[in-house]
Amino acid sequence: ASSNMATYSFDASFVLPVESLGSEYIIQSDQQSISDNVNSRQKETSSFLIVAVENDIEVEITPSVATLKGHNPGEAFTVSMSAGQTYFVRSNNKTEWRDLSGSTVFARNGKKIAVFNGNTITRIPGDASNGRDHIFEQALPVDSWGKRFVVTSSEGRARDIVKITSSADDNFIYRDGEEIAIIGYGDSFEFDLLSDDGSCFIETSEPSVVYLYHTSWEDPFEQSPHRLGDPSMVWIPPIEQRIKEVTFCTFDNEHD
């Protein structure tokens, strides 16, 4: 696992072995909250980080919204990378369109890369009055996406937010057997998973990726706001990727 820690900020991600990496990724991030405070607003962007694990890699990036460095949505650009190098992409910080979900990252000639996606700092949902944090998870290569997912709600929150991103057009999304959406390539659909629901079973007609988002501690949906900390995102592995044995580990929150 990998973790990021700063003053009043923490999140962690699973980490894939190099053998499980791929060359094609579609980004998912939070919709991105935007503060009224000008100084805070400049920091609030979605983002993704590319890590090269081979030399002589040409990576083609097509952002879904304008980037901080001025790349336009839908227009591909290419970066050259060598093993150990990283390339960081952030959404623009001038407009309300800051969700990089649906952006594509493609390493040419079958080269392998690792990608981490998330948000530099955000509230979930965007109208929560408090509880901002950095959130991130490693992205799963598209060829490892699946069609069946089991999602459970988190304890102590009135709701979590489930977000699904599609790898193909005409993707029919079902929740517990009921059709809830039809989405296209790179598009996302999200819904609330209430604490009272406990869990849900998601089926998609085309390969998809699913993340669960924990809400901020002053989510306006809560009648009595919870005090379980700031938001985070969690990758939900497809049933097709299930394994027979799991070892649990957690981070020690004691630090100087």
Side-chain angles (χ1 to χ4, degrees), residues 8 12 33 45 48 57 66 86-87 105 117 121 125 156 163 201:
Y8 307 123
S33 64
T45 65
F48 58 89
I57 300 180
T86 62
Y87 189 84
V105 181
N117 44 204
I121 187 168
K163 188 170 183 176
F201 177 52

Side-chain angles (χ1 to χ4, degrees), residues 96-170:
E96 62 180 305
W97 307 110
R98 302 189 186 192
D99 185 358
L100 282 164
S101 294
S103 300
T104 58
V105 181
F106 177 71
R108 295 173 180 165
N109 301 317
K111 298 279 189 175
K112 289 186 175 183
I113 54 175
V115 178
F116 294 82
N117 44 204
N119 298 68
T120 52
I121 187 168
T122 194
R123 301 185 305 273
I124 301 177
D127 58 353
S129 58
N130 211 334
R132 299 189 306 158
D133 209 344
H134 166 62
I135 62 173
F136 82 114
E137 276 281 10
Q138 184 161 9
L140 197 70
V142 172
D143 60 9
S144 296
W145 287 16
K147 297 182 179 181
R148 297 182 297 157
F149 308 83
V150 173
V151 188
T152 59
S153 60
S154 60
E155 185 177 358
R157 286 178 167 87
R159 67 169 172 175
D160 298 293
I161 297 173
V162 179
K163 188 170 183 176
I164 305 163
T165 301
S166 174
S167 68
D169 288 331
D170 299 321

Side-chain angles (χ1 to χ4, degrees), residues 55-60 78-81 106-109 111:
N55 289 320
D56 302 318
I57 300 180
E58 295 292 317
V59 181
E60 182 179 293
T78 302
V79 295
S80 300
M81 304 181 68
F106 177 71
R108 295 173 180 165
N109 301 317
K111 298 279 189 175

Side-chain angles (χ1 to χ4, degrees), residues 8 16 36 49 55 83 93 99 102 105 109 176 202 211 217 254:
Y8 307 123
L16 292 171
D36 293 332
L49 176 72
N55 289 320
N93 61 1
D99 185 358
V105 181
N109 301 317
D176 296 326
I202 297 171
Y211 288 88
W217 63 268
E254 297 292 335

